[in-house]
Amino acid sequence: MDLKSLKMFVHLAQHLHFGRTAEANHVSTSTLSRAIQRLEDEVGTSLLHRDNRTVVLTESGKQFQQYAEQQLEQWQLLQLSLNQGQEQLQGKLHIYCSVTAAYSHLPPLLERFRQQHPLVEIMLTTGDAADAFEQVQQHSVDLAIAVKPENISRLFHFQPLAKIPLSVIAPTMTCQVQQLVKKQTILWHEVPMILPEHGVARKRFDYWFRRRQQGKPNIYATVSGHEALVSMVALGCGVGVAPNVVVENSPVKDRVQYLANVGEIEPFELGICSLNQNKEHALIQAFLAAITNPS
């Protein structure tokens, strides 16, 4: 049984969704189905009940899930043992972050780490910051630059990096949205809003808007990623709440403005997250140590 098949089965057992597991492991659903079928052939029994709509683990599947998780953990422990025996760390470290974080916060962290461990290969995946914890939990990456949620699961280790201010932004171009926010008393329920699909940023917006006490927001669009939100505001589509660092690093920053005197928004706490069970792995431990003690 190859490790990749075991990894895909564990993900499928956790999420019970062929499409999501296939996407997370960068394979087609047909490839995933063949891998599961090979596992079932090797085990000699059915691991899943599946039809066009649902996926359910059989009793054998539940037992096999425990076996697969143990095998993956044993492999990680072996890698740790072998790496610790080397004079210089080697291997691959997979990191996830947003596009903005890839050039606002990650470069100095990588520079420190690579000075100390030049033989380690860095693999970088970028995407919506709201998906960072999920990427780590699914074992798609080793580490992620993430925003700390209000309630963080015990599954995760979180090492703070910085406080990130948030602001309400509006377009600078002459448009209906600009006219609405120029009024002496802004009727927020009339202003089109660009919102994040999910995550801490969405909750920050919900808290901020409730304090306006003007009913429900007028949602123009929901987007994945703060970079897309800033772009839509710049196009005059609406108003949004965005991290200042994203605005300042955006190619359209001259087309948006910060709105003053519209209420405070609690800043983000940005940090590095990993699974608690993995934080003692040699490469992860070395990265966390490098960013804490740059010398």
Side-chain angles (χ1 to χ4, degrees):
M1 296 181 185
D2 65 280
L3 291 169
K4 185 174 182 180
S5 294
L6 292 179
K7 181 181 176 182
M8 289 193 293
F9 177 81
V10 168
H11 187 282
L12 183 59
Q14 293 172 342
H15 296 273
L16 300 176
H17 193 287
F18 269 80
R20 190 178 301 172
T21 296
E23 182 179 357
N25 289 274
H26 310 291
V27 298
S28 65
T29 52
S30 58
T31 297
L32 173 61
S33 295
R34 288 194 296 271
I36 300 301
Q37 183 63 60
R38 284 195 298 271
L39 289 177
E40 291 179 324
D41 290 343
E42 291 184 54
V43 175
T45 186
S46 176
L47 301 175
L48 299 165
H49 289 307
R50 50 192 181 275
D51 56 31
N52 291 334
R53 293 186 177 181
T54 59
V55 180
V56 180
L57 285 174
T58 63
E59 288 304 315
S60 298
K62 294 176 182 178
Q63 294 180 44
F64 187 76
Q65 180 185 3
Q66 295 179 352
Y67 165 81
E69 289 174 344
Q70 290 170 359
Q71 293 303 305
L72 292 173
E73 183 177 357
Q74 288 298 314
W75 170 246
Q76 291 170 344
L77 290 174
L78 175 61
Q79 287 180 307
L80 172 62
S81 176
L82 294 174
N83 281 331
Q84 287 178 335
Q86 296 173 350
E87 291 185 4
Q88 282 192 306
L89 282 179
Q90 298 184 41
K92 294 181 179 180
L93 188 64
H94 200 156
I95 301 173
Y96 179 91
C97 67
S98 69
V99 172
T100 297
Y103 46 77
S104 65
H105 287 82
L106 185 59
L109 303 182
L110 285 184
E111 183 178 2
R112 297 177 202 169
F113 178 74
R114 290 186 61 79
Q115 285 175 351
Q116 299 176 28
H117 307 287
L119 299 182
V120 176
E121 180 181 352
I122 302 296
M123 302 176 67
L124 178 63
T125 299
T126 58
D128 187 352
D131 295 331
F133 279 90
E134 183 179 0
Q135 289 285 323
V136 171
Q137 185 173 2
Q138 292 177 355
H139 300 277
S140 299
V141 298
D142 302 305
L143 298 163
I145 297 181
V147 173
K148 186 178 181 180
E150 293 179 357
N151 299 299
I152 187 167
S153 167
R154 293 183 179 180
L155 289 173
F156 299 105
H157 170 74
F158 184 85
Q159 187 160 315
L161 288 175
K163 293 285 188 181
I164 305 297
L166 290 92
S167 297
V168 181
I169 58 172
T172 57
M173 64 187 296
T174 301
C175 60
Q176 182 184 10
V177 174
Q178 189 192 57
Q179 297 305 312
L180 288 171
V181 298
K182 276 187 172 181
K183 292 182 178 179
Q184 186 172 3
T185 301
I186 300 175
L187 301 177
W188 289 107
H189 64 284
E190 295 181 358
V191 179
M193 295 290 177
I194 314 298
L195 305 184
E197 289 179 341
H198 60 285
V200 181
R202 180 62 180 261
K203 291 183 178 180
R204 290 286 196 277
F205 170 83
D206 291 339
Y207 294 154
W208 172 81
F209 192 86
R210 274 203 298 271
R211 291 198 297 270
R212 311 278 75 74
Q213 297 182 344
Q214 293 193 22
K216 295 183 178 180
N218 174 19
I219 302 174
Y220 178 86
T222 57
V223 297
S224 176
H226 298 121
E227 294 82 6
L229 187 151
V230 175
S231 294
M232 290 199 70
V233 171
L235 289 170
C237 298
V239 166
V241 172
N244 292 13
V245 65
V246 176
V247 177
E248 296 306 320
N249 285 280
S250 173
V252 295
K253 66 178 182 180
D254 294 334
R255 300 178 64 181
V256 301
Q257 59 181 313
Y258 297 110
L259 295 183
N261 303 316
V262 293
E264 295 295 322
I265 302 174
E266 184 183 352
F268 283 161
E269 184 172 10
L270 194 71
I272 300 289
C273 75
S274 65
L275 288 173
N276 257 319
Q277 67 184 44
N278 295 341
K279 71 176 183 179
E280 299 303 324
H281 289 188
L283 295 180
I284 295 177
Q285 192 176 49
F287 188 87
L288 296 177
I291 66 175
T292 305
N293 304 299
S295 59

